[in-house]
Amino acid sequence: MSCRFFKSILWVVTLFITFGLNAQFTIKGRVTDASNGDPIPFASVGLKGLPYGTNTNFDGFFELKAKSLSDSLFVSFVGYKKRVKSVARIASQTIDFQLESAQKALEEVIVYSGENPAHKIIKKLLAHKSKNDRAKLDAFEYDSYSKIELDVDNISEKFREKKFMKEVESSIRKFQKIAGEDGKLVIPTYISETISKFYFLNSPNRKKEDILKTNIKGVGVQDGGFVSQLLGGNLFANYNFYSNFVPFFGKDFASPIGETWKSNYRYFIGDTVKVDNHTCYQIDYEPKNSMDLLFNGQIWVDTTSFALVQIDATVGKEANLNFIDKIKISQELEETKEGAWLPAKTRFMIDVEELTKNSAGMLLKIFVSNKNFVVNKPHETGFYDLMSEVKEDAREPDPEFWKYARHESLSTQDYEAFALVDSVKNLPTVKTYVEIAELILSGYKKFNDIEVGPYISSFAINKVEGARFRVGFRTNAKFDKNWILRGNVGFGTKDLIPKYQLEVNYLFSKKKWTIGGIKHSYDIERVGLTPELIGDNRLFYAFTRWGAFSGAFFRRSSEIFFNSELVKGFSINTSMATRSFDPLFRFHYRIQPELGLASPVKDNLNETFLTIQARYAKNETFIMNGNERITLATKRIPVLTLTYQQGFKDLFGGDFNYQKWTFKAYQTFNFGKIGHSDYTFSAGYTPSTLPAPLLFPHLGNETFFFVRSAFSTMNYFEFVSDKYASIQINHNFEGLFFNRIPLIKKLKWRFIASANAVVGSQTSSNQELMKDVNNPLRSKFLENYAFDSLDPNKPFVEAGYGIDNIFKLFRVQAFHRLTYLDRPNVSAFRLMASINFSF
C-alpha cells in the first residue's frame, strides 16, 4: 500500500516537473482600430517584462506562445496609443485589443554623416522596380473574393435619439457589445460579398471582372444592376503603389515609392520583420507637408529582392480633402512565377466626417482577397470589351455556396452586421431617407420600373412662357432590358402652347454598346443655348429657361439614330434628323443674296441633315446602370470627337444643302504638387453659305454661374463663325499656395486659373446673307445680338482666376475680357460663382 502510494506521488512529481519544464502558454487575439473596426497589421504584441512577443498579421490576428506569463500583455503601433491588458494564468486565452489613434507624428531622426539608411533601401526598391512591378506583365488573372461594407459611424447622442434609431436600439446594443469594450458604435447599412474572376491585359490596356456570385444586403438596394458593378473590389481598390500617383476621388496622391518620393516624404528605418516568410525592412514614412495630397504609414521591403511586400498608406484629416476624416489602404502582395508581385489582400477604408454637429458620419470598408494567379496568358482583345459582367444566376441566394466560397470565414461581428442590416433597411424612416438621397443624386423619383424627372427642369419663369411646368419620365431595366422609353410634356401659363418630347430606344448589345432609336420633340429653345451646344450641363441648361428669354424660337425636331462601339474605345454615332426654326424675334435672311436688298427674304428655316460622328476614347471604362452605362472617364488620354454633317435641300422640307465639320479634343493632366489641368480644343468649318443660326454660334454666358464650356465674358449670340478654332484651359492648383499660409490653410481653399480664346470669321457671303435685312425696322434683338463675325486677325481672349472649395462647396471666379472691349453692351469684368462638389 505504501509502495503504491509512493509510486503515485513519484509519478505526480515527475509529471509536474515535466510540465514545468515544457509548459507553453498560448494567447490569441485580434488588434483593431477602435474608431472603425479595421484590423491593424504588424502591431507589436508582447508580455510585459518578459522576452516573448509577436506581430499581428495582415488581418490583425496574433498568436503568442510563451513558457511563462507576466501579469499583463501590451500592444503598440505607430500612430496609436499603447494598450495594456491583464493576463489570466491559464494555458490558453483570447485577448482582443482596440487601439485609439494617437495623432502623433514621427520624431525626426537626424543623420549627421552619410546617407539616411532608409533612403538607400528606397533607391534599391526603385532600381528593382522593372522586375517587381506588375506593370511588366503582359496579362494576369486571378480568383477574387470581395466584401464591401457601408456603415454609419461617429454617432452623436442627439442622433441616437432619432425615431428610427430607437426602433433598432436592441439590435444596436447587441452589435455594440460584439464590437468590444473600446470600439465605437457603427451601424452597418450595406454589406455585399462577391466571388469574381478578374482579368487584366497590359497592351492595349484592358481590365475585366466577371461577377460569378453576389450576396447583397443593404438599405435602399433594389436592383442588382448598378450595385453589382460596384461589387468587384478589384475595379476600384486595385492600387499599384509602384505608380507615381495613386488616384481616387478624381485626385492623385503621390506614392511614397514613386519618382517624387524624396521631395514629398520623410523616411525612418525600423527593425526587420517577417512577412509571410519574407524577411523585410520596415520603413515608416510621413509627408513633409501634412496638407498636401500625400500618405503616411509603413512599407515592408524584401531584404533580398527589394520588392514591396506590404504597405500601409493613410491620409489624415489634415490633408486638403473635403468630408474625409481618414483614408487607409493596406495591401499585401504575393510574388508570381514571373517575378512580379500581385496584390493578394487589400483593405481600403474611407471614414467620411459628419456633415453637421448632430448628424453622423459614414464608413466605407472594402476587403479584397485574391488567389490562383495566372500570368502572361492573355485572351483575345475582344474578351475584355465589357468591363464588368454579372452572370445570369449571380444574384440567386445560395447559403451553401457561401459556406465554402469565402477565402476566409466571417467573424461573429460580420454575422451580426448582416442581421442588423435586415433590421434597419425595412424601417419606413430609413426608406424615406434613401428615396430623398436617390432624388438628389439622380434627379429622378423611382416608381418601380418608371422614373419621373429630372426635377431640376420641372419649373421655370420667363417672359415668353410665363410660369413653365414640365413633367418627364424614363423607364429603367425593370421595365425592359432592351427597350428604353423617355419623354416629357410641358406648357407655359402665358403662351399656353403644349411642348413635348418622346424617345424610344432599343439596346442591341451591351458588350459593343450598340443602341438605336427614334425621337420627336416640339419645344421652345434659345439661339446659341440649345442642348447640343450646352452638352450635359443640365443645371446651366435649366437656368437658361429663366428670365428675359431673349433669342427664343420654336423648334420641331425628328430624329432616327444608331450608335455602336466598333472596337473598345472607338464608337460611331449616326443620325438623320429634321429641324425647324421659328423665331419669336424679328429675323430674316436673303433667299437670293446676289440680288442684295432686292432679294426676297424668309423669316424661318428648316433643315434636314445626316450626322456621322466618330469618337475615340482610349482606355475609357464604364459601369452599367441597368440599360444605361456611366463613364468612369479615361486615364488622362485625349478624348477625340470628329463630326460631319451633310444638309439636304428639298428632302423632308430642308432649305439648304450644306457641309459642316467639327473636331473636339478634351484631356486632363496631372502636375503633381502643382495641381491638375484640363483643356478643351475645338474647331469647326463649313464651306457653305448659311444663315447664322446654322453656323457655329459661340457659347456665351450672361448668368452669374460659371460654366466650363462657355466664354464667361461673351454675351449670348454675340459672335458666330463659319470657321473657328478655340481653346479653353482650366488649372486647379489644389492647396499649393493656400496650404502654406498660416490660418488660411485651415480653410482648405484652392487657387484656380482659367484662360479661354477663340479665333474665327465669317465669309462675306455669309455676312451678306443677313446684312441690313431688317432695316428700317431693325428689331431690338438684332440691335444687341447681331450674330457678328470675329476678326480673323484678332482672337477673342479672356482670363480668369479665383478660389475653389469655399465652405467645401462654392467656387468664386473673376474673369477679365482682354479683347473686343470697344463693343456696346459688353462687360470687361465679370464675377461668377458655382457650386462645385469635390473631395
Side-chain angles (χ1 to χ4, degrees):
M1 186 76 177
S2 61
C3 182
R4 187 176 301 172
F5 174 76
F6 280 115
K7 282 184 179 179
S8 299
I9 291 294
L10 182 61
W11 182 84
V12 170
V13 170
T14 302
L15 183 63
F16 178 79
I17 294 173
T18 303
F19 178 78
L21 292 175
N22 298 285
Q24 183 165 281
F25 300 95
T26 301
I27 305 175
K28 297 180 180 180
R30 196 181 196 195
V31 181
T32 56
D33 188 310
S35 65
N36 52 54
D38 206 40
I40 301 177
F42 290 92
S44 298
V45 183
L47 287 165
K48 190 174 181 180
L50 294 176
Y52 301 116
T54 187
N55 296 102
T56 57
N57 65 12
F58 183 81
D59 301 307
F61 291 103
F62 69 88
E63 182 176 355
L64 187 150
K65 296 183 182 293
K67 292 184 178 180
S68 59
L69 294 176
S70 63
D71 60 352
S72 58
L73 184 73
F74 72 86
V75 172
S76 63
F77 192 66
V78 173
Y80 290 88
K81 295 178 183 178
K82 185 176 181 179
R83 287 292 316 270
V84 179
K85 288 190 175 184
S86 60
V87 174
R89 300 196 67 81
I90 55 178
S92 180
Q93 58 192 300
T94 299
I95 303 176
D96 294 328
F97 288 85
Q98 293 81 37
L99 301 187
E100 294 183 1
S101 176
Q103 298 296 324
K104 182 179 178 182
L106 297 167
E107 295 182 3
E108 187 169 359
V109 177
I110 301 176
V111 180
Y112 291 99
S113 61
E115 186 180 15
N116 181 342
H119 287 189
K120 293 181 179 180
I121 297 170
I122 298 296
K123 287 179 179 179
K124 289 184 178 180
L125 183 151
L126 293 173
H128 289 76
K129 174 181 174 179
S130 60
K131 177 183 177 183
N132 298 318
D133 185 3
R134 75 187 83 161
K136 65 164 282 189
L137 298 173
D138 296 328
F140 57 81
E141 59 190 70
Y142 46 73
D143 299 326
S144 186
Y145 166 81
S146 303
K147 183 176 71 174
I148 300 177
E149 181 176 334
L150 183 64
D151 305 328
V152 176
D153 74 337
N154 294 332
I155 301 170
S156 65
E157 288 300 321
K158 192 167 184 178
F159 190 82
R160 294 188 70 160
E161 294 174 1
K162 292 183 180 293
K163 181 182 176 180
F164 82 92
M165 291 288 289
K166 296 292 185 182
E167 293 174 354
V168 291
E169 185 67 30
S170 60
S171 297
I172 291 173
R173 280 198 300 267
K174 185 176 181 181
F175 186 75
Q176 189 174 16
K177 181 178 179 180
I178 294 175
E181 78 284 1
D182 301 310
K184 295 183 181 179
L185 172 62
V186 296
I187 303 176
T189 61
Y190 170 89
I191 304 177
S192 71
E193 296 180 284
T194 303
I195 296 294
S196 64
K197 186 82 173 181
F198 181 77
Y199 306 89
F200 179 82
L201 181 67
N202 193 11
S203 183
N205 187 274
R206 299 282 190 271
K207 57 185 175 182
K208 175 181 180 178
E209 189 158 20
D210 286 341
I211 308 296
L212 306 178
K213 205 72 177 176
T214 64
N215 181 27
I216 310 170
K217 289 184 182 293
V219 176
V221 177
Q222 301 175 4
D223 180 80
F226 175 69
V227 173
S228 295
Q229 307 304 312
L230 302 176
L231 299 181
N234 284 282
L235 294 178
F236 302 96
N238 191 5
Y239 300 110
N240 185 358
F241 283 87
Y242 280 111
S243 301
N244 293 327
F245 295 95
V246 180
F248 44 85
F249 297 142
K251 299 182 182 297
D252 289 308
F253 291 72
S255 171
I257 58 172
E259 292 179 358
T260 61
W261 64 277
K262 199 169 186 179
S263 61
N264 287 320
Y265 293 97
R266 287 187 286 263
Y267 298 84
F268 312 92
I269 193 167
D271 296 332
T272 56
V273 178
K274 278 280 188 181
V275 182
D276 282 346
N277 298 320
H278 295 279
T279 303
C280 298
Y281 299 110
Q282 178 180 317
I283 298 176
D284 300 324
Y285 62 91
E286 66 178 12
K288 290 184 176 180
N289 187 325
S290 60
M291 292 197 68
D292 288 342
L293 299 182
L294 303 170
F295 300 100
N296 65 76
Q298 299 79 36
I299 58 176
W300 288 266
V301 182
D302 186 83
T303 56
T304 303
S305 64
F306 290 95
L308 179 68
V309 177
Q310 183 172 312
I311 182 167
D312 279 4
T314 301
V315 180
K317 195 171 185 177
E318 303 83 7
N320 196 324
L321 286 173
N322 297 327
F323 317 112
I324 300 296
D325 271 339
K326 187 179 183 181
I327 299 172
K328 185 176 180 181
I329 305 171
S330 297
Q331 190 176 77
E332 184 179 58
L333 296 97
E334 182 178 313
E335 188 176 13
T336 66
K337 63 180 182 179
E338 297 293 329
W341 294 62
L342 289 172
K345 291 183 179 180
T346 301
R347 292 187 186 276
F348 177 60
M349 185 274 294
I350 307 174
D351 194 351
V352 181
E353 67 183 8
E354 54 272 30
L355 299 181
T356 62
K357 186 177 181 180
N358 294 316
S359 64
M362 298 295 291
L363 190 66
L364 173 66
K365 295 188 285 188
I366 301 176
F367 169 68
V368 183
S369 174
N370 305 319
K371 63 183 182 180
N372 300 328
F373 297 104
V374 177
V375 298
N376 290 345
K377 291 184 178 180
H379 301 269
E380 51 89 17
T381 305
F383 173 82
Y384 303 88
D385 281 348
L386 196 60
M387 186 189 78
S388 183
E389 186 172 4
V390 183
K391 299 303 180 184
E392 288 295 326
D393 61 344
R395 292 185 292 272
E396 293 180 6
D398 190 351
E400 288 300 315
F401 171 86
W402 288 103
K403 286 182 181 180
Y404 306 101
R406 297 181 180 103
H407 290 193
E408 60 180 50
S409 300
L410 294 180
S411 65
T412 303
Q413 187 170 344
D414 288 330
Y415 283 112
E416 285 300 323
F418 273 108
L420 185 56
V421 167
D422 283 336
S423 300
V424 172
K425 72 177 183 179
N426 294 317
L427 296 178
T429 308
V430 173
K431 287 184 176 180
T432 301
Y433 286 163
V434 171
E435 289 177 358
I436 293 173
E438 286 182 345
L439 182 62
I440 293 173
L441 293 174
S442 69
Y444 285 82
K445 173 70 172 69
K446 290 185 178 180
F447 295 94
N448 196 27
D449 53 359
I450 295 180
E451 302 171 12
V452 177
Y455 285 94
I456 194 173
S457 300
S458 296
F459 180 74
I461 298 177
N462 59 68
K463 288 186 177 180
V464 175
E465 298 175 283
R468 172 188 169 94
F469 297 90
R470 194 184 89 154
V471 178
F473 78 95
R474 68 183 183 188
T475 61
N476 54 40
K478 287 186 177 181
F479 176 83
D480 193 273
K481 292 182 179 180
N482 300 97
W483 288 103
I484 308 161
L485 308 180
R486 295 188 182 93
N488 63 72
V489 293
F491 74 97
T493 58
K494 185 176 181 180
D495 65 353
L496 298 178
I497 298 176
K499 294 94 176 177
Y500 57 87
Q501 177 179 324
L502 179 62
E503 181 177 346
V504 180
N505 298 339
Y506 186 81
L507 180 60
F508 293 93
S509 170
K510 285 187 176 182
K511 187 172 183 179
K512 292 290 186 180
W513 194 253
T514 302
I515 188 169
I518 57 174
K519 54 185 174 182
H520 177 74
S521 65
Y522 181 69
D523 209 337
I524 190 169
E525 300 288 356
R526 300 177 69 182
V527 177
L529 295 170
T530 53
E532 59 268 19
L533 289 174
I534 291 176
D536 294 331
N537 195 325
R538 285 191 292 181
L539 179 62
F540 179 55
Y541 180 66
F543 190 79
T544 63
R545 293 283 181 178
W546 293 73
F549 215 69
S550 58
F553 67 94
F554 276 98
R555 180 163 79 178
R556 191 179 304 275
S557 176
S558 299
E559 181 180 347
I560 181 170
F561 64 90
F562 182 82
N563 307 329
S564 182
E565 190 174 40
L566 301 182
V567 295
K568 182 70 173 178
F570 181 74
S571 59
I572 293 290
N573 307 323
T574 59
S575 66
M576 190 74 181
T578 65
R579 287 179 186 165
S580 64
F581 179 83
D582 297 307
L584 298 180
F585 54 90
R586 187 174 176 84
F587 168 84
H588 295 91
Y589 63 93
R590 294 189 178 100
I591 298 176
Q592 295 176 278
E594 67 276 7
L595 299 179
L597 294 176
S599 171
V601 297
K602 192 175 180 181
D603 62 1
N604 62 71
L605 60 86
N606 296 282
E607 57 173 333
T608 301
F609 57 94
L610 170 71
T611 302
I612 301 175
Q613 183 183 85
R615 183 178 182 273
Y616 180 65
K618 184 179 180 181
N619 298 337
E620 186 174 27
T621 53
F622 298 88
I623 54 175
M624 300 298 172
N625 181 12
N627 48 23
E628 293 185 314
R629 68 174 184 173
I630 300 170
T631 180
L632 298 179
T634 61
K635 295 184 177 180
R636 297 181 178 82
I637 296 171
V639 178
L640 308 176
T641 305
L642 179 64
T643 305
Y644 171 74
Q645 278 188 353
Q646 173 67 59
F648 300 97
K649 188 175 181 179
D650 299 327
L651 180 63
F652 303 116
D655 292 326
F656 304 96
N657 285 313
Y658 66 83
Q659 294 180 322
K660 289 174 68 175
W661 296 87
T662 308
F663 174 77
K664 183 178 179 181
Y666 173 79
Q667 186 177 7
T668 61
F669 291 97
N670 181 276
F671 294 97
K673 278 188 175 182
I674 301 175
H676 59 86
S677 290
D678 66 76
Y679 76 83
T680 302
F681 173 79
S682 181
Y685 172 68
T686 175
S688 307
T689 300
L690 298 168
L694 297 186
L695 298 176
F696 301 104
H698 301 298
L699 184 60
N701 185 1
E702 295 181 27
T703 73
F704 292 105
F705 294 96
F706 169 74
V707 178
R708 187 181 296 269
S709 58
F711 291 90
S712 298
T713 59
M714 185 184 291
N715 291 335
Y716 296 145
F717 339 114
E718 185 177 354
F719 294 109
V720 176
S721 300
D722 52 38
K723 54 179 176 292
Y724 79 95
S726 69
I727 183 75
Q728 294 171 295
I729 302 173
N730 298 279
H731 185 82
N732 192 320
F733 289 91
E734 295 290 350
L736 178 66
F737 301 129
F738 293 126
N739 280 0
R740 287 151 180 82
I741 302 176
L743 299 180
I744 291 181
K745 67 181 182 180
K746 294 183 179 180
L747 301 174
K748 296 187 177 181
W749 286 353
R750 300 159 189 171
F751 185 71
I752 51 178
S754 301
N756 305 320
V758 56
V759 59
S761 65
Q762 289 184 41
T763 61
S764 58
S765 60
N766 276 324
Q767 295 184 52
E768 290 294 328
L769 198 66
M770 296 184 62
K771 186 177 181 181
D772 299 325
V773 169
N774 300 282
N775 283 338
L777 300 173
R778 189 174 178 87
S779 71
K780 184 179 179 181
F781 174 81
L782 287 177
E783 287 176 0
N784 295 328
Y785 310 106
F787 306 114
D788 285 339
S789 172
L790 289 161
D791 183 340
N793 300 311
K794 183 181 178 181
F796 177 92
V797 181
E798 64 182 12
Y801 51 87
I803 300 174
D804 191 17
N805 209 43
I806 300 172
F807 301 119
K808 301 182 180 180
L809 196 60
F810 299 102
R811 168 186 287 180
V812 175
Q813 202 161 357
F815 281 90
H816 295 271
R817 180 167 173 152
L818 304 180
T819 57
Y820 294 93
L821 298 174
D822 55 346
R823 293 176 58 81
N825 303 312
V826 301
S827 299
F829 173 82
R830 280 184 182 160
L831 190 65
M832 316 192 86
S834 63
I835 296 174
N836 185 41
F837 181 87
S838 68
F839 288 96

